[in-house]
C-alpha cells in the first residue's frame, strides 16, 4: 500500500482527487510531512479496497472536483 501511495504522490502519479489531497497534506510543512502524507494516502487506499472487497463493487472514480472547478472558470 505504501508503494502505491508513493506512486500516486510521485511525479508520475495521475491527476486525481487523492493526489491533490495527498499533496495538500505534504505541503503543510514540517520535517516529516511527506512521510505522513504517504502513510495517510496508503491508509485511504486500504480503506477503499476493503470497502470494495466487502461489498463486491466495481470501483468507479468520482468526478475530480478540481477539474470541474477549473472548467467552470
Amino acid at each position: 500500500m505504501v508503494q502505491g501511495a508513493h506512486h500516486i504522490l510521485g511525479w508520475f502519479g495521475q491527476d486525481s482527487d487523492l493526489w491533490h489531497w495527498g499533496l495538500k497534506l505534504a505541503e503543510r510543512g514540517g520535517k516529516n510531512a511527506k512521510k505522513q502524507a504517504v502513510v495517510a494516502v496508503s491508509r485511504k487506499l486500504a480503506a477503499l479496497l476493503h470497502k470494495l472487497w466487502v461489498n463486491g463493487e466495481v470501483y468507479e472514480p468520482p468526478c475530480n472536483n478540481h477539474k470541474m472547478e477549473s472548467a467552470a472558470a
Side-chain angles (χ1 to χ4, degrees):
M1 297 317 277
V2 174
Q3 289 178 352
H6 273 291
H7 180 80
I8 289 171
L9 292 177
W11 61 271
F12 36 81
Q14 293 182 355
D15 188 23
S16 66
D17 287 337
L18 187 59
W19 180 71
H20 283 280
W21 181 76
L23 288 182
K24 190 166 71 171
L25 286 177
E27 289 174 356
R28 285 186 179 176
K31 201 171 186 179
N32 295 319
K34 176 75 174 190
K35 293 177 187 177
Q36 290 174 344
V38 168
V39 171
V41 169
S42 66
R43 285 181 58 120
K44 196 171 269 250
L45 281 174
L48 174 66
L49 286 175
H50 181 263
K51 182 179 178 185
L52 292 175
W53 285 331
V54 167
N55 295 336
E57 298 175 6
V58 176
Y59 177 69
E60 293 183 26
C63 295
N64 289 332
N65 293 333
H66 58 277
K67 286 184 181 178
M68 291 173 42
E69 290 172 358
S70 63

